[in-house]
Amino acid sequence: MRPVLLDKLLSNLDIQVEPFSLCEVSPGRRLLLPGAARVMLHFVLVGSGFVRSATGTVQPLSPCSLAVVPRRAQHSLEPKDEAVEECSIDPDSESLRNAPVISNGSMEPPEMIVACGLVKIRYGAALGLFDKLDDVLVEDLSDIPQARTAFEAILAEQSDAGPGSEAMKAALMSQCVVYLLRHLCEGGTCSLPWLAALEDERMARVLDRILQSPADSHTVESLADTASMSRSAFAQTFAQAFGLPPMSMVRRIRMERALGLLERGDDLPIEAVARRVGFSSRSHFSRAFKKQFGVSPVARRAIQNLSLI
């Protein structure tokens, strides 16, 4: 991936970090983690072992290995030797988010200690960075000592939280993502699925236009013109690149932008939110929003206001 493109990608990332826990993997015991609603990260601080995905793929872990687990992907952290017992932890439960250490039940010293947490990393506040990842991704970051320092700083920040802790953790996680992407993009190409599409300047132009002006009256034809391609060739290339037809991407970006506006807490009228994301009708916007998120815009704002009390 070209350096200028990587810089552009990083400048458009939106990162949210939930509290990390230290997970201990004991000899002979497997730590099973059902699929979470968000991407899960495992950074190995001490020891070695394996991560096993639901597809049966087994990948080794060693100090400073970073495992990226796709949303909804069941997986397990395992010791070096055969596991004869199993402990299950729900990644979306309070037990993982609130406990500083999660042990899988053994009194023996752990074989592996892993920083485990949930993250949301989106490009342009809409595209999930790891959305098209279909299996666990493991990268050895032992040649980047700053990665370990950043993860240790995240753990230290959440154990002694102060003003600005959330912003600090997001900044530290941004560093980790930079290290990961640099590592993945060594040699001029990037192995992450949809990021390769940004190497195509035509697709990058189209995505930029949608992200910068989601309220515009986009059509497949207008976006094909932006890409300087025929309608059919553009529609096929775009869908292959991003996993969504062009207009589905437009709707998704509009809905994500609307969600962000509703969560800002500035009581922008629903009608104004609708207009800002390209809807002239509040009722049409409300139906589309509920279809996307399962609740109406009014209900989503009420939920957000309650969380701020």
Side-chain angles (χ1 to χ4, degrees):
M1 180 174 284
R2 290 170 284 133
V4 65
L5 190 53
L6 184 56
D7 285 341
K8 176 183 175 182
L9 168 67
L10 295 171
S11 68
N12 281 284
L13 287 183
D14 173 56
I15 298 178
Q16 299 173 32
V17 186
E18 293 191 8
F20 272 64
S21 291
L22 293 180
C23 294
E24 297 182 348
V25 179
S26 302
R29 293 174 179 265
R30 176 187 298 113
L31 188 60
L32 178 65
L33 296 122
R38 291 190 175 187
V39 168
M40 193 166 196
L41 299 184
H42 298 301
F43 186 82
V44 181
L45 297 166
V46 177
S48 58
F50 298 94
V51 58
R52 183 187 301 271
S53 67
T55 64
T57 304
V58 180
Q59 301 182 70
L61 299 173
S62 55
C64 297
S65 290
L66 176 62
V68 182
V69 182
R71 294 185 304 126
R72 310 295 180 192
Q74 178 176 300
H75 61 289
S76 59
L77 299 176
E78 304 187 359
K80 290 176 291 185
D81 297 325
E82 183 180 359
V84 295
E85 296 185 46
E86 185 172 275
C87 173
S88 180
I89 295 176
D90 181 359
D92 288 322
S93 72
E94 293 300 316
S95 62
L96 180 63
R97 290 194 285 268
N98 293 335
V101 176
I102 300 265
S103 177
N104 56 357
S106 174
M107 298 301 292
E108 298 180 67
E111 281 194 8
M112 187 166 58
I113 300 177
V114 186
C116 305
L118 304 175
V119 297
K120 180 184 283 187
I121 306 175
R122 298 185 296 177
Y123 178 74
L127 278 172
L129 184 61
F130 303 107
D131 272 2
K132 292 185 70 178
L133 199 62
D134 56 10
D135 205 350
V136 178
L137 171 71
V138 176
E139 284 293 310
D140 177 8
L141 302 184
S142 58
D143 59 338
I144 308 176
Q146 301 94 323
R148 182 187 182 95
T149 301
F151 271 99
E152 290 175 339
I154 290 172
L155 293 167
E157 186 66 34
Q158 71 180 37
S159 67
D160 187 21
S165 282
E166 294 305 311
M168 178 64 75
K169 287 190 293 183
L172 290 165
M173 183 55 67
S174 295
Q175 291 182 37
C176 298
V177 172
V178 171
Y179 300 138
L180 173 63
L181 290 176
R182 282 178 176 174
H183 210 268
L184 287 169
C185 296
E186 287 177 351
T189 59
C190 188
S191 58
L192 279 178
W194 67 260
L195 293 186
L198 295 182
E199 292 279 11
D200 185 333
E201 292 183 1
R202 301 169 303 175
M203 296 300 101
R205 268 201 315 274
V206 170
L207 187 58
D208 276 348
R209 181 175 176 185
I210 301 171
L211 289 169
Q212 291 171 10
S213 305
D216 285 1
S217 299
H218 300 296
T219 64
V220 176
E221 289 78 9
S222 69
L223 296 175
D225 287 343
T226 299
S228 301
M229 299 174 69
S230 70
R231 184 188 188 282
S232 58
F234 164 70
Q236 181 178 5
T237 302
F238 189 95
Q240 288 176 343
F242 297 109
L244 286 174
M247 295 314 296
S248 294
M249 180 66 77
V250 170
R251 286 191 292 274
R252 176 173 174 177
I253 289 174
R254 285 173 172 172
M255 291 298 99
E256 291 287 352
R257 194 64 54 85
L259 180 63
L261 290 170
L262 290 169
E263 290 181 341
R264 277 190 350 199
D266 55 5
D267 291 327
L268 190 69
I270 301 298
E271 292 84 354
V273 173
R275 287 195 300 273
R276 289 195 185 186
V277 296
F279 288 83
S280 58
S281 162
R282 170 174 171 161
S283 60
H284 184 198
F285 165 66
S286 295
R287 287 194 300 271
F289 189 93
K290 187 171 184 178
K291 182 178 180 180
Q292 178 77 17
F293 298 110
V295 295
S296 70
V298 173
R300 186 64 190 84
R301 169 165 283 165
I303 294 169
Q304 176 67 14
N305 290 340
L306 283 173
S307 69
L308 297 174
I309 294 177

